[in-house]
Amino acid sequence: MTNLAVTLNEKTWYVNVDTAPVAENTWTLQVEGETLNVRVPFSNTTAEQIEWMIVNNHPFEIVFDPELRWIQTRGRTHRVQVRDLDVTVARPHSRDGRIKAPIPGQITRVFVEAGQTIEAGAPIMILEAMKMENHLVAPVRGTVSSVNVAPGARVNLNQVLAEVQADGE
Amino acid sequence: MTNLAVTLNEKTWYVNVDTAPVAENTWTLQVEGETLNVRVPFSNTTAEQIEWMIVNNHPFEIVFDPELRWIQTRGRTHRVQVRDLDVTVARPHSRDGRIKAPIPGQITRVFVEAGQTIEAGAPIMILEAMKMENHLVAPVRGTVSSVNVAPGARVNLNQVLAEVQADGE
Amino acid sequence: MFKKILIANRGEIALRVMRTCREMNIPTLALYEASDQGSLHVRLADECVLLDAPGGFMNGGAILDIARAHGADALHPGYGFLAEHAEFCRACENAGITFIGPPARVMEQLQPKIDALERVRAAGIATTTFSMPCADSDAPLMTAEANALGYPLLVKSCRGGRGRGEFFVASASELPDALARAQQEAHAVYGDRRVFLEKAILPAHQIGVQILGDAHGNLIHLGEREGSLMPGTQREASNQKLIEETPAPSLTPKQRARLWELALEIARVFGYVNAGTIEFLMDDAGNFYFTEVKARIQIEHPLTELVTRVDLVRAQIELAAGAPLALKQADVRLDGYAMQCRINAQDPWNQMLPSPGYLRRVRLPGGPEVRIDTYVYSGCQVPAEYDSLIAKLIVWGADRAQCRQRLERALGEFKLIGTATTLPLLQRLVRDAAFVDGTYHTQTRVPQLEMDAEAPQTVRDLAAAVALYHERAQQPLRAAIPTRMLSGWHRASRTLPE
Amino acid sequence: MFKKILIANRGEIALRVMRTCREMNIPTLALYEASDQGSLHVRLADECVLLDAPGGFMNGGAILDIARAHGADALHPGYGFLAEHAEFCRACENAGITFIGPPARVMEQLQPKIDALERVRAAGIATTTFSMPCADSDAPLMTAEANALGYPLLVKSCRGGRGRGEFFVASASELPDALARAQQEAHAVYGDRRVFLEKAILPAHQIGVQILGDAHGNLIHLGEREGSLMPGTQREASNQKLIEETPAPSLTPKQRARLWELALEIARVFGYVNAGTIEFLMDDAGNFYFTEVKARIQIEHPLTELVTRVDLVRAQIELAAGAPLALKQADVRLDGYAMQCRINAQDPWNQMLPSPGYLRRVRLPGGPEVRIDTYVYSGCQVPAEYDSLIAKLIVWGADRAQCRQRLERALGEFKLIGTATTLPLLQRLVRDAAFVDGTYHTQTRVPQLEMDAEAPQTVRDLAAAVALYHERAQQPLRAAIPTRMLSGWHRASRTLPE
């Protein structure tokens, strides 16, 4: 049995999940006192392959964000947060000052130099891919500690392009 | 290097295949003196997952029968036979007298009894599936040695339904 | 309008009905049996209920119970199953649940097929020639009836529909066996052993006229559909249409006008309400013979939707709700040509054996004037428990030549990998001279699948492709998925003795 | 007719052209770069050649060499790339290869955008207000020009097209940067640094009229299309249309008739031949301002095909071959309503970042009056090297309400798993009041993606689904395929600093 707090549309639901299925492809959950039957296709499906569920008599085609920040169903999108009540340590929210390439592409413009102080949200550089310009901005207020690329550079995914040292660090 | 005889549309082509690709996704073949370049998508694709090839400048979407009795492309179907010239022993053609269920389904009629002599092609029984009747017939001329099911029986794939002992065996 | 519609069907037609319901903002309640839980008609419904009752979709009582328990105030039967079951239609009316189709008083006139034929004949319209009905004990009587009608003839169920319980009889010696089989099948499918004989018309054209009628006495037609191309010989039971089209290529404009007029006359005989099809055979001399009224949505209804742009399911729902017809006859515009292919999970290389299983890849055709109605998708199961229709491809063209070219083009884009399908047969058929010319009839034989001519260079390239496939297949598998494991038991259908 | 058509494009438009060629029995020659070898336009072509030249699809010389080497006697440019490149069009003519589009003498009149605007103005038709062209050194002059025009304004490339090299300028302080960026982008895309200023019309309606002209002086229109809904603010460079429709909801019948007339007048100014679109802005007071002629097939052309049932690519090919127009104006019937959504591989959750990669599952909508133009399929790659359009969904309806409902229904059936797409944004947009009412304009802001209201019971059910997903995700992977491995680098796009 797992105890979860699921926040959806700003309301939090406390859910108990039986760890084993009650029948083939069928799980039982308690949501605030009520018991729900959930059918999931094919018992050997990984979570990422789940495309639909039937909750009692309600079928849902669901696209789950793999990191469970949102789900989408029936043309609507919902923000989601899940907390495992049996796990007390929250994962730290990583937020360093490294500007990494979010996608591969080409640097077309660089707006900052090393040593410059900048506000959070200030433009750092432009990365072009799929015929679109993507503006990379400072994640925090601070000082540019390095700029590693010049306009025209082709960059790979996650390549560190620049670094900003946050104020007060 | 593998040497094959490929019979297609009643014409036989002698083909030499280099066992390793010449470039990523690209193989070289010699067909009757001419060298052809063949591009196959994604080098880690198994044969069964191959859906298309580019032979020189000709793209083909091909459906390969997994046993290579036929291929289909551009709305046309071609019978095929492949012989590995370096392998001298042909696989024996298995042809016993057991009538197995080619699909799961229900037996609706049985036309024969044990001990009865029948001609090749004579009706043995009817197996219904997908709302269709499928007539199972005798593979050889001979004597029905056993009938294992009665009308109404639900049968599984490959279940032996009856046996015919061929004349002269 | 209705608060909730229960769809008492599955597969492509359940999805077809659901699409219109969604466009009308009417919630749907789907039914499914366990083997069918991954079908799109379940995934896309607003609500779904497991139908866990003997007889499944034929169990009208269980289905009505579900409708009541879940607050459905209307029910769409699709085609097949309970679509033309007058008793079920009456039971819905008694339960206060609107049956989306003709009212029970119409169904009750049409269900006894001989009575219906006699009433049409009495109205002065030619029908096929038929015998008395026959229960088990009347076999000697039927021999006399058969001799009176003359051979060849057909044995048909008195309840009929869906081509089941229908057998072709070439000569007297075949009659007893055909009677026995027809009675057995009629009993199994319709719960009624009675059959009758009908004189065969060979060759013929099988043409149906789509009609719409409201409860206020308005009646219109929406042109005809021809479905004379069938896979097997008349003597085979699985005599399903492969390709249908509109307008019927076999009709002259004068014949066409006459046919439409006849259809409206026949519909009036029964006080027909809702959507239906008046079916005829046309002989070589151009004479029409009424055969039956299909009191339901037909598999080939999209043809009419493509040339009229009328949503027939929406019309069914509106008419069942008592609305007057939205169109007058003069508003119906029949524009261009449409053709439909039925793609079945059957193996054309192996006696059209059913081929259910796992569909690894589904890629649908697209582009201008191409419509697909299907319940399959990449990674789905085709259940063995239902009929083999998995997809319909329907195309429109400004003229018949463009329409046929588009059909051929779209078939070439269709990709179904995992189970055997009738695609190769259809691709062959659309290039057949009788189809290209529009001169086919019910006796036109479907060409055998065999080697196809190609340019020598293409054959050489294909030989190279085959050699490389063979070479790769010899190598140890490198990918993680053993496809052969996933692809289901249909592979073994080859072991059928020849 | 042509012996072989080289398609100098990729993706959905290459496939669109190929479909018509196949229906006309004209063999096609496709081009591909290495990253794009799995694209459908390669798989479905009759012949394909690896385009291994600097500049790829912009390399006209290399493409003409391939055409000559492989015996193509005509070339279809699609949209983008070389579609509106007068010099390339002229080079095709000189090489004896028919360019499927307007002749070079028309292209050469249209390419210098300021000249084209001036000729239309000289013909007595209102255009947008514009400045002198500007090369690098003219910056001070441009400030004066800008002050004369007044703010807000747009900086545009003198070559233009595809919304590239176009920047919005709200006030004088933004002008130098916008000029620099526009010149840089214009140079990169068109090889021509010159830009000009245009007075912004805010709010406006962006409406184009589809025309067809033959070499014999016949000219017709096929109605208009409105594309005023754009994702970002005017100041964003990626100002692509999201949803387009026909007829334009913003027009009165009188305005519509006037617009059509203006379009034909403008086409005559240039002696226009082949298919093209005459583009206008309409201000709040209902005044029309000519902006440009799109001398090519447009992304939104299927809208016109759905309401007229005319195959515009076939018309392009026939007209380029010198055939007279197959239709007279009186034959053109504009029937019903059509809407198109563009589905892009961009992440609406993350600043519309490009999201190429592996598409694990593709399931397309179907049923009545739904058309899909796409190059993607289950298990394909979306290359990072090209623009982000991966699919177009186009639907028809008898009235605007039915059309919109159908669009919403079809979007709900669309399934694309593996890369982020604009589907969630489109689904939100089609339910937005301004779109439902048809009252939107170029300043209508696209709603933010945020929590959507649902019935409490539905929310509870979804909470249960999320909990079960979470629970299953904690368990060790059981299946053979580590999906995360297959799904490509697009996942990481989340690490973009906020």
Side-chain angles (χ1 to χ4, degrees):
Chain A
M1 175 83 78
T2 313
N3 301 302
L4 302 172
V6 178
T7 305
L8 203 94
N9 286 14
E10 301 193 337
K11 174 156 167 46
T12 299
W13 305 81
Y14 293 91
V15 188
N16 306 321
V17 188
D18 287 348
T19 26
V22 290
E24 207 192 338
N25 303 329
T26 308
W27 272 259
T28 301
L29 291 85
Q30 277 77 40
V31 184
E32 314 211 329
E34 261 191 279
T35 300
L36 302 179
N37 273 293
V38 184
R39 290 171 87 90
V40 180
F42 319 124
S43 46
N44 64 343
T45 304
T46 64
E48 289 215 350
Q49 289 173 321
I50 293 174
E51 295 176 10
W52 58 279
M53 292 191 193
I54 300 174
V55 183
N56 284 355
N57 291 318
H58 290 96
F60 293 95
E61 292 214 293
I62 314 187
V63 180
F64 293 95
D65 171 42
E67 296 182 7
L68 267 184
R69 297 165 311 162
W70 50 262
I71 62 169
Q72 246 185 283
T73 186
R74 298 181 180 175
R76 289 162 199 262
T77 307
H78 306 273
R79 282 199 190 271
V80 156
Q81 230 179 358
V82 184
R83 200 153 48 91
D84 190 329
L85 298 175
D86 305 327
V87 178
T88 47
V89 185
R91 274 186 298 178
H93 191 67
S94 121
R95 185 80 176 254
D96 65 353
R98 288 182 300 171
I99 317 294
K100 293 181 192 172
I103 47 174
Q106 188 169 23
I107 302 299
T108 54
R109 307 233 302 173
V110 176
F111 300 106
V112 296
E113 289 176 15
Q116 189 176 332
T117 60
I118 51 171
E119 296 299 308
I124 303 266
M125 56 185 75
I126 295 178
L127 169 65
E128 188 172 311
M130 282 188 128
K131 313 283 168 205
M132 282 176 285
E133 293 190 338
N134 303 287
H135 293 251
L136 307 186
V137 299
V140 290
R141 180 195 153 99
T143 307
V144 177
S145 50
S146 72
V147 176
N148 311 329
V149 288
R154 295 216 148 266
V155 298
N156 297 322
L157 172 67
N158 282 335
Q159 183 176 334
V160 177
L161 309 176
E163 264 182 274
V164 177
Q165 181 148 12
D167 276 2
E169 276 187 15
Chain B
M1 175 83 77
T2 312
N3 301 302
L4 302 173
V6 178
T7 305
L8 203 96
N9 287 12
E10 302 194 336
K11 175 158 168 44
T12 299
W13 304 81
Y14 294 91
V15 187
N16 306 322
V17 188
D18 287 347
T19 25
V22 289
E24 205 191 341
N25 303 328
T26 307
W27 271 259
T28 300
L29 292 84
Q30 276 79 40
V31 184
E32 313 210 329
E34 263 191 277
T35 299
L36 302 180
N37 273 292
V38 183
R39 290 171 87 90
V40 180
F42 320 125
S43 46
N44 64 344
T45 305
T46 63
E48 289 215 349
Q49 290 172 320
I50 293 174
E51 295 176 10
W52 58 279
M53 291 191 193
I54 300 173
V55 183
N56 284 355
N57 291 319
H58 290 95
F60 292 95
E61 290 214 294
I62 313 187
V63 180
F64 293 94
D65 171 43
E67 296 181 9
L68 268 183
R69 296 166 311 163
W70 49 262
I71 61 170
Q72 247 185 280
T73 186
R74 298 182 180 174
R76 289 162 200 260
T77 308
H78 306 273
R79 283 200 189 271
V80 155
Q81 232 182 356
V82 184
R83 200 153 49 90
D84 189 329
L85 298 175
D86 304 329
V87 178
T88 47
V89 185
R91 275 187 296 178
H93 191 67
S94 122
R95 184 80 176 256
D96 67 354
R98 289 181 298 171
I99 318 292
K100 294 181 191 173
I103 46 175
Q106 188 169 24
I107 302 299
T108 54
R109 307 230 304 171
V110 176
F111 301 106
V112 297
E113 288 175 16
Q116 188 176 333
T117 59
I118 50 171
E119 297 298 310
I124 302 265
M125 56 184 76
I126 294 178
L127 169 64
E128 189 171 311
M130 283 188 129
K131 312 285 171 205
M132 281 176 285
E133 293 190 337
N134 304 287
H135 293 252
L136 308 186
V137 299
V140 290
R141 179 193 152 100
T143 308
V144 178
S145 50
S146 72
V147 175
N148 311 330
V149 289
R154 296 214 146 269
V155 298
N156 297 322
L157 172 68
N158 282 335
Q159 183 175 335
V160 177
L161 309 175
E163 266 180 273
V164 178
Q165 182 150 10
D167 274 3
E169 276 187 15
Chain C
M1 199 33 71
F2 303 116
K3 290 199 303 288
K4 189 185 289 180
I5 294 178
L6 183 151
I7 301 173
N9 216 306
R10 64 168 296 282
E12 70 87 16
I13 193 63
L15 197 57
R16 169 68 192 86
V17 172
M18 202 167 290
R19 284 172 165 148
T20 288
C21 291
R22 187 133 303 162
E23 291 171 13
M24 295 176 79
N25 266 323
I26 305 173
T28 51
L29 172 60
L31 302 179
Y32 65 102
E33 295 183 283
S35 67
D36 208 25
Q37 67 166 9
S39 178
L40 273 193
H41 85 277
V42 185
R43 293 170 63 160
L44 295 177
D46 295 292
E47 264 179 88
C48 61
V49 175
L50 182 67
L51 180 61
D52 189 13
F57 285 97
M58 291 301 287
N59 191 331
I63 290 173
L64 272 180
D65 287 345
I66 292 171
R68 272 186 292 252
H70 290 82
D73 55 349
L75 178 150
H76 197 298
Y79 51 69
F81 296 131
L82 296 169
E84 288 173 293
H85 199 289
E87 295 86 346
F88 178 68
C89 180
R90 177 64 71 190
C92 287
E93 289 187 11
N94 291 341
I97 289 166
T98 305
F99 180 88
I100 298 171
R105 64 156 186 82
V106 171
M107 296 291 238
E108 283 158 359
Q109 296 173 68
L110 294 170
Q111 190 160 282
K113 291 182 102 177
I114 293 184
D115 294 0
L117 282 164
E118 274 166 359
R119 286 186 57 195
V120 170
R121 187 178 281 185
I125 299 167
T127 70
T128 44
T129 316
F130 52 90
S131 76
M132 308 262 296
C134 161
D136 299 54
S137 52
D138 305 326
L141 171 68
M142 292 319 269
T143 309
E145 291 267 327
N147 290 335
L149 286 174
Y151 293 89
L153 51 78
L154 294 161
V155 187
K156 287 183 156 182
S157 158
C158 287
R159 295 282 297 261
R162 298 165 61 208
R164 302 216 57 185
E166 190 173 316
F167 292 86
F168 180 80
V169 181
S171 65
S173 65
E174 297 174 13
L175 185 63
D177 185 57
L179 276 175
R181 289 176 67 186
Q183 285 168 344
Q184 183 189 350
E185 193 163 320
H187 180 66
V189 177
Y190 307 108
D192 183 341
R193 298 191 77 83
R194 287 172 309 143
V195 298
F196 68 101
L197 310 179
E198 187 181 274
K199 186 150 174 51
I201 296 171
L202 303 174
H205 293 271
Q206 196 166 314
I207 306 173
V209 179
Q210 177 70 54
I211 54 158
L212 289 176
D214 67 20
H216 314 280
N218 304 304
L219 190 73
I220 60 172
H221 74 83
L222 291 92
E224 81 286 356
R225 301 183 286 256
E226 176 154 5
S228 307
L229 260 186
M230 298 171 187
T233 56
Q234 281 274 0
R235 59 183 67 233
E236 285 168 26
S238 63
N239 217 7
Q240 276 202 321
K241 300 166 188 170
L242 277 180
I243 304 187
E244 293 123 325
E245 63 177 304
T246 186
S250 61
L251 294 180
T252 64
K254 204 171 152 189
Q255 288 172 326
R256 178 168 290 118
R258 173 75 188 130
L259 187 73
W260 294 347
E261 198 182 296
L262 280 176
L264 293 173
E265 274 178 50
I266 292 167
R268 276 189 210 102
V269 166
F270 301 101
Y272 200 89
V273 170
N274 213 285
T277 305
I278 317 294
E279 293 270 351
F280 299 88
L281 288 177
M282 182 176 77
D283 68 15
D284 246 4
N287 300 304
F288 296 116
Y289 304 93
F290 166 73
T291 58
E292 60 181 324
V293 178
K294 305 272 196 198
R296 54 168 165 85
I297 194 84
Q298 276 193 296
I299 297 183
E300 58 267 40
H301 77 274
L303 293 173
T304 302
E305 296 187 324
L306 259 66
V307 297
T308 63
R309 294 196 131 167
V310 171
D311 179 340
L312 288 174
V313 173
R314 182 185 277 254
Q316 284 190 301
I317 294 170
E318 289 172 347
L319 292 170
L325 267 178
L327 288 165
K328 292 187 178 37
Q329 189 66 60
D331 302 328
V332 178
R333 196 180 129 95
L334 299 171
D335 181 26
Y337 289 73
M339 295 176 177
Q340 170 176 296
C341 281
R342 298 187 189 190
I343 296 152
N344 294 329
Q346 285 177 263
D347 189 349
W349 289 93
N350 196 354
Q351 303 173 66
M352 298 293 270
L353 261 187
S355 177
Y358 178 77
L359 264 179
R360 183 162 63 80
R361 280 274 184 267
V362 173
R363 196 187 69 206
L364 306 178
E369 301 290 358
V370 168
R371 166 173 168 185
I372 311 287
D373 281 30
T374 184
Y375 73 92
V376 300
Y377 52 89
S378 286
C380 80
Q381 294 288 335
V382 176
E385 288 78 2
Y386 307 103
D387 76 53
S388 65
L389 179 69
I390 55 172
K392 303 189 306 202
L393 164 65
I394 318 105
V395 304
W396 180 92
D399 54 45
R400 192 171 184 277
Q402 189 195 32
C403 191
R404 195 203 64 79
Q405 287 274 23
R406 192 163 275 159
L407 189 63
E408 186 174 344
R409 184 271 287 175
L411 281 169
E413 294 176 15
F414 226 122
K415 197 108 182 168
L416 294 164
I417 304 182
T419 68
T421 73
T422 48
L423 265 178
L425 185 64
L426 292 165
Q427 291 183 308
R428 179 66 197 252
L429 198 48
V430 296
R431 291 185 287 114
D432 200 59
F435 184 70
V436 173
D437 302 343
T439 55
Y440 61 87
H441 48 67
T442 53
Q443 296 306 99
T444 302
R445 290 285 64 84
V446 168
Q448 284 299 300
L449 276 182
E450 53 193 21
M451 294 177 313
D452 265 326
E454 286 274 17
Q457 199 204 315
T458 304
V459 180
R460 184 203 62 189
D461 290 351
L462 286 174
V466 167
L468 191 53
Y469 179 92
H470 184 272
E471 176 64 21
R472 306 267 304 146
Q474 299 304 311
Q475 294 176 25
L477 293 185
R478 292 179 191 174
I481 333 158
T483 320
R484 209 178 274 269
M485 298 285 119
L486 294 173
S487 55
W489 51 261
H490 68 279
R491 293 264 188 247
S493 59
R494 272 169 236 117
T495 58
L496 183 79
E498 279 155 29
Chain D
M1 198 34 71
F2 302 117
K3 291 198 303 287
K4 187 186 292 182
I5 293 178
L6 182 152
I7 301 173
N9 215 305
R10 65 166 296 280
E12 70 88 17
I13 194 61
L15 197 57
R16 168 69 193 86
V17 172
M18 204 167 287
R19 284 173 166 146
T20 288
C21 291
R22 187 134 302 161
E23 291 171 13
M24 296 177 78
N25 267 324
I26 305 173
T28 51
L29 171 60
L31 303 179
Y32 65 101
E33 294 183 284
S35 68
D36 208 25
Q37 67 166 9
S39 177
L40 274 192
H41 85 276
V42 184
R43 294 170 61 159
L44 295 176
D46 295 292
E47 266 180 85
C48 60
V49 175
L50 182 68
L51 179 59
D52 190 14
F57 285 98
M58 291 300 288
N59 192 330
I63 291 173
L64 272 180
D65 286 346
I66 292 170
R68 272 186 291 252
H70 290 83
D73 55 349
L75 178 149
H76 196 299
Y79 51 69
F81 296 130
L82 296 169
E84 290 172 290
H85 200 288
E87 295 85 346
F88 178 68
C89 180
R90 177 64 72 190
C92 287
E93 288 187 14
N94 290 342
I97 288 167
T98 306
F99 180 87
I100 297 171
R105 63 155 186 83
V106 171
M107 296 290 237
E108 283 157 359
Q109 296 174 68
L110 294 170
Q111 190 160 283
K113 290 181 106 177
I114 293 184
D115 293 359
L117 283 164
E118 274 167 358
R119 286 187 56 195
V120 171
R121 185 177 280 185
I125 298 167
T127 71
T128 45
T129 316
F130 52 89
S131 76
M132 308 264 294
C134 160
D136 298 56
S137 52
D138 305 326
L141 171 68
M142 292 319 269
T143 308
E145 290 269 327
N147 290 336
L149 285 175
Y151 291 90
L153 50 79
L154 294 163
V155 187
K156 286 183 155 183
S157 157
C158 287
R159 294 283 297 261
R162 298 165 62 209
R164 300 216 58 185
E166 189 171 317
F167 292 86
F168 180 81
V169 180
S171 64
S173 65
E174 297 174 13
L175 186 65
D177 186 58
L179 276 175
R181 290 176 65 186
Q183 284 168 344
Q184 184 190 349
E185 193 164 319
H187 179 67
V189 177
Y190 307 107
D192 183 342
R193 298 190 78 84
R194 288 172 310 140
V195 298
F196 67 101
L197 310 180
E198 186 181 274
K199 183 149 177 51
I201 296 172
L202 304 174
H205 293 272
Q206 196 165 314
I207 306 172
V209 178
Q210 177 71 53
I211 55 157
L212 289 177
D214 66 19
H216 314 280
N218 303 303
L219 190 72
I220 61 172
H221 74 82
L222 290 92
E224 81 286 356
R225 301 183 288 255
E226 174 153 6
S228 307
L229 261 185
M230 298 171 186
T233 56
Q234 281 274 0
R235 61 182 67 233
E236 287 168 27
S238 63
N239 217 8
Q240 275 202 325
K241 300 166 190 171
L242 277 180
I243 305 187
E244 293 122 325
E245 65 178 304
T246 186
S250 61
L251 293 180
T252 64
K254 204 172 152 187
Q255 287 172 325
R256 179 169 290 117
R258 173 75 187 128
L259 187 73
W260 293 347
E261 196 182 298
L262 281 176
L264 293 174
E265 274 178 51
I266 292 166
R268 276 189 212 101
V269 166
F270 301 102
Y272 200 88
V273 170
N274 214 285
T277 304
I278 317 294
E279 294 271 349
F280 299 89
L281 288 176
M282 182 177 77
D283 68 17
D284 247 3
N287 300 304
F288 296 116
Y289 304 93
F290 166 74
T291 58
E292 59 182 324
V293 178
K294 305 272 195 198
R296 53 167 165 88
I297 194 83
Q298 276 193 296
I299 296 184
E300 59 267 41
H301 78 275
L303 293 173
T304 302
E305 295 186 325
L306 259 66
V307 297
T308 63
R309 294 195 132 169
V310 171
D311 179 339
L312 289 174
V313 173
R314 182 185 277 255
Q316 283 190 302
I317 295 170
E318 289 172 347
L319 292 170
L325 267 179
L327 289 165
K328 291 187 178 38
Q329 190 66 60
D331 302 329
V332 178
R333 196 181 131 95
L334 299 171
D335 183 25
Y337 289 72
M339 295 176 176
Q340 170 175 296
C341 282
R342 298 187 189 190
I343 296 154
N344 294 329
Q346 287 178 262
D347 190 349
W349 289 94
N350 197 353
Q351 303 174 65
M352 300 291 273
L353 261 187
S355 178
Y358 179 76
L359 266 178
R360 182 162 63 81
R361 280 275 183 264
V362 173
R363 197 187 68 208
L364 305 179
E369 301 291 357
V370 169
R371 167 174 167 183
I372 311 286
D373 280 29
T374 184
Y375 72 93
V376 300
Y377 52 89
S378 287
C380 80
Q381 295 287 337
V382 176
E385 288 77 3
Y386 308 102
D387 75 54
S388 66
L389 179 70
I390 57 173
K392 303 188 307 200
L393 164 64
I394 318 105
V395 305
W396 180 93
D399 53 47
R400 191 171 184 276
Q402 189 195 32
C403 191
R404 195 203 64 81
Q405 287 275 21
R406 192 163 275 157
L407 189 62
E408 186 173 345
R409 184 271 288 175
L411 281 169
E413 294 176 15
F414 225 122
K415 197 108 180 165
L416 294 165
I417 304 183
T419 67
T421 72
T422 49
L423 264 178
L425 185 64
L426 292 165
Q427 290 182 309
R428 178 66 197 251
L429 197 50
V430 296
R431 291 185 286 113
D432 200 60
F435 184 69
V436 173
D437 302 342
T439 55
Y440 61 87
H441 49 67
T442 52
Q443 296 307 97
T444 302
R445 290 284 63 82
V446 168
Q448 285 298 300
L449 274 183
E450 53 192 21
M451 294 178 311
D452 264 326
E454 286 273 18
Q457 200 205 316
T458 304
V459 180
R460 185 204 62 189
D461 290 352
L462 286 174
V466 168
L468 191 54
Y469 179 92
H470 184 271
E471 177 63 20
R472 306 267 303 144
Q474 299 303 312
Q475 294 174 26
L477 292 186
R478 291 181 191 172
I481 332 157
T483 320
R484 209 178 274 272
M485 299 285 118
L486 294 172
S487 53
W489 49 261
H490 68 279
R491 291 263 188 252
S493 58
R494 274 169 235 117
T495 58
L496 183 77
E498 279 155 27

